[in-house]
């Protein structure tokens, strides 16, 4: 579940909880921003952009959060599909976002509290439809990643049906057993699913992330019924039908998603942000405590994107690639400590993971997230 669906209080609490676990504050990465970067200044009441018109190709946003709340910056198509985004930008910090854009109309949004539509500025990208000259290996990476996201969606639907069939049958134990496996493919490719804008709120929102007037549907509504309420009624069976329908929509649309090398790289970083603000804190799976299953799937999705981009990233920045190899390996090894069994996706219930172990996991996530934030810039050098 994307952080943008959190309430203001929960978003701040998630970052505060992460700080308490890690013993450190959020780092800024804007020092790497180039002199040609477009400056985006976000505060609680506005979103200021230094240029309203710029040429197609690779664009870099140098973001500064002057507000009092955690914010998010997005580049959006006019229909609200996400081109690229940077979440969890703390008050008083600066971050950069590198993206690839074609000519056309777009919006840049700053979302204080990471909820709702935020404050928006219309911008225009000029020039031809394809002014970016890519290394052919990047085109191959995009094609392979598109196949990967489609395969994950295709493989998810049967697992979801096992889960929803158990709900429809009123089988509490079978539904609990099928819940976490049904989410793996989604968690591996979540940034692509979120890029559509409308699917994530239907299937992966938590109660504290609901917009005003929004009906609570999806996995987490059913998670609450199974673990907290310990009941499956008529409403839950209807929600199982709805989950099947909404995820079928995802499966049919995912192959048409807008994917670029930079969106792959930024998506990998977003997956680590998901881990930091949801899984490490125990916020995501608060009833089932299956957070480590989601954690592992997020890391796998990030690692897949990196491995596909690695041939170009290692050529452009060998030191960065070496560091990413090291930190992915370290995090994978650490997660394996919590496997229950040598194979499969059975992990220790997160409510049994102590504060010291949570800190160790969080430190490993932070150690990977910092170099991963530089991957997008590395692939476009």
């Amino acid at each position: 579940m994307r952080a943008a669906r959190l309430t203001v209080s929960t978003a701040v609490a998630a970052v505060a909880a992460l700080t308490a676990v890690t013993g450190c504050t959020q780092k800024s990465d804007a020092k790497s921003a180039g002199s040609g970067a477009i400056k985006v200044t976000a505060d609680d009441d506005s979103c200021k952009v230094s240029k309203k018109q710029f040429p197609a190709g690779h664009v870099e946003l140098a973001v500064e959060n002057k507000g009092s709340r955690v914010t998010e910056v997005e580049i959006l198509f006019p229909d609200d599909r996400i081109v690229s985004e940077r979440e969890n930008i703390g008050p008083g910090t600066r971050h950069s976002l590198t993206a690839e854009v074609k000519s056309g109309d777009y919006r840049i949004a700053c979302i204080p509290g990471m909820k709702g539509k935020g404050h928006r500025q219309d911008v225009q990208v000029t020039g031809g439809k394809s002014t970016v000259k890519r290394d052919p290996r990047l085109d191959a990476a995009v094609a392979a990643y598109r196949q990967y996201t489609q395969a994950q969606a295709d493989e998810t639907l049967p697992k979801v049906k096992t889960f929803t069939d158990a709900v429809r049958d009123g089988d509490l134990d079978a539904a609990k057993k099928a819940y976490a496996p049904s989410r793996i493919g989604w968690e591996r490719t979540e940034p692509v699913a979120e890029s559509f804008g409308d699917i994530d709120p239907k299937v992966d929102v938590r109660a504290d992330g609901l917009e005003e007037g929004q009906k609570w549907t999806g996995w987490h509504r059913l998670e609450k019924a199974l673990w907290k309420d310990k009941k499956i009624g008529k409403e839950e069976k209807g929600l199982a039908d709805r989950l099947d329908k909404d995820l079928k929509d995802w499966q049919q649309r995912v192959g048409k998603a807008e994917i670029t090398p930079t969106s792959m790289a930024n998506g990998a970083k977003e997956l680590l942000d998901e881990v930091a603000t949801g899984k490490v804190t125990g916020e995501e799976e608060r009833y089932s405590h299956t957070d480590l299953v989601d954690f592992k799937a997020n890391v796998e999705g990030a690692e897949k994107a990196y491995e596909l981009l690695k041939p170009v990233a290692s050529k452009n920045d060998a030191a960065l690639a070496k560091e990413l190899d090291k930190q992915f390996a370290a995090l994978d090894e650490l997660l394996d400590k919590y496997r229950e069994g040598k194979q499969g996706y059975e992990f220790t219930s997160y409510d049994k993971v102590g504060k010291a172990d949570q800190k160790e996991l969080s430190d490993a996530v932070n150690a990977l997230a910092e170099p991963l934030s530089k991957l997008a810039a590395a692939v476009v050098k």
Side-chain angles (χ1 to χ4, degrees):
M1 187 210 80
R2 62 180 303 175
R5 301 297 170 191
L6 297 173
T7 62
V8 172
S9 60
T10 305
V12 174
V15 173
L18 179 61
T19 300
V21 170
T22 61
C24 63
T25 55
Q26 186 186 44
K27 294 182 179 178
S28 174
D29 64 7
K31 290 181 180 179
S32 61
S35 59
I38 298 165
K39 295 180 181 179
V40 178
T41 305
D43 60 31
D44 295 342
D45 302 307
S46 68
C47 185
K48 298 176 182 177
V49 180
S50 64
K51 296 179 183 178
K52 300 293 183 66
Q53 189 177 85
F54 43 88
H58 293 126
V59 60
E60 183 179 14
L61 303 185
V63 182
E64 182 176 8
N65 181 6
K66 290 187 175 181
S68 63
R69 294 180 284 174
V70 176
T71 196
E72 172 181 2
V73 169
E74 298 176 337
I75 303 174
L76 300 164
F77 289 108
D79 61 3
D80 278 2
R81 285 178 298 130
I82 298 171
V83 179
S84 200
E85 63 184 340
R86 174 56 62 89
E87 300 176 348
N88 301 301
I89 303 171
T93 64
R94 301 182 181 192
H95 291 266
S96 62
L97 172 64
T98 301
E100 181 180 320
V101 290
K102 299 176 182 178
S103 61
D105 295 326
Y106 296 85
R107 295 187 178 102
I108 293 177
C110 305
I111 308 174
M114 298 195 300
K115 182 183 177 182
K117 293 183 178 295
H119 309 293
R120 300 180 172 202
Q121 292 285 350
D122 291 335
V123 295
Q124 186 177 51
V125 178
T126 60
K129 292 185 177 181
S130 181
T131 61
V132 175
K133 293 183 179 180
R134 288 184 189 157
D135 185 314
R137 291 174 295 181
L138 291 178
D139 288 325
V142 168
Y145 189 68
R146 189 179 298 280
Q147 291 178 345
Y148 172 73
T149 57
Q150 185 66 65
Q152 291 302 308
D154 293 345
E155 292 167 11
T156 292
L157 260 62
K159 295 177 182 177
V160 170
K161 190 173 186 301
T162 298
F163 170 59
T164 54
D165 280 349
V167 173
R168 283 185 284 265
D169 290 342
D171 191 331
L172 198 69
D173 289 338
K176 285 183 175 181
K177 184 178 180 180
Y179 171 77
S182 76
R183 291 175 50 75
I184 292 170
W186 172 273
E187 292 290 337
R188 285 173 176 161
T189 60
E190 196 166 1
V192 175
E194 290 175 349
S195 70
F196 298 116
D198 61 333
I199 296 178
D200 180 80
K202 296 176 184 177
V203 305
D204 202 29
V205 72
R206 302 194 307 252
D208 53 3
L210 294 169
E211 303 284 354
E212 185 177 353
Q214 180 185 349
K215 178 179 173 58
W216 191 14
T217 60
W219 270 301
H220 293 303
R221 167 63 179 82
L222 291 168
E223 178 202 7
K224 177 179 180 291
L226 297 175
W227 274 273
K228 185 177 182 181
D229 303 334
K230 297 180 172 57
K231 71 177 184 67
I232 298 174
K234 182 178 179 181
E235 181 181 0
E236 285 74 28
K237 292 177 181 181
L239 289 169
D241 293 339
R242 172 72 182 270
L243 183 61
D244 284 336
K245 179 181 177 182
D246 289 337
L247 288 172
K248 182 66 176 179
D249 182 29
W250 164 55
Q251 180 204 27
Q252 292 175 339
R253 292 163 66 183
V254 72
K256 302 173 184 177
E258 189 81 15
I259 298 174
T260 65
T262 53
S263 73
M264 289 170 60
N266 290 325
K269 175 60 167 60
E270 288 169 38
L271 286 170
L272 264 290
D273 289 343
E274 288 277 341
V275 173
T277 59
K279 282 68 174 184
V280 168
T281 61
E283 294 278 335
E284 182 82 354
E285 306 291 357
R286 63 188 64 176
Y287 308 111
S288 65
H289 304 299
T290 56
D291 302 89
L292 287 174
V293 178
D294 292 359
F295 191 136
K296 179 64 174 176
N298 285 159
V299 173
E300 285 180 338
E303 193 164 11
K304 179 66 175 182
Y306 165 60
E307 289 294 339
L308 291 172
L309 295 170
K310 183 179 174 180
V312 173
S314 59
K315 176 187 175 184
N316 292 344
D317 194 335
L320 177 64
K322 183 178 179 180
E323 182 66 13
L324 285 170
D325 287 341
K326 174 185 173 183
Q327 297 302 339
F328 268 118
L331 185 53
D332 286 336
E333 183 179 355
L334 181 58
L335 279 170
D336 283 343
K337 288 172 50 177
Y338 298 94
R339 281 190 186 274
E340 296 185 345
K342 295 182 179 180
Q343 296 180 344
Y345 264 74
E346 295 182 1
F347 284 85
T348 302
S349 181
Y350 202 64
D351 59 338
K352 293 182 172 63
V353 178
K355 292 296 183 183
D357 291 329
Q358 288 181 28
K359 182 180 185 305
E360 184 182 29
L361 285 164
S362 188
D363 288 347
V365 170
N366 288 343
L368 173 57
E370 194 279 328
L372 197 57
S373 69
K374 302 174 183 177
L375 180 59
V379 299
V380 302
K381 280 186 177 179

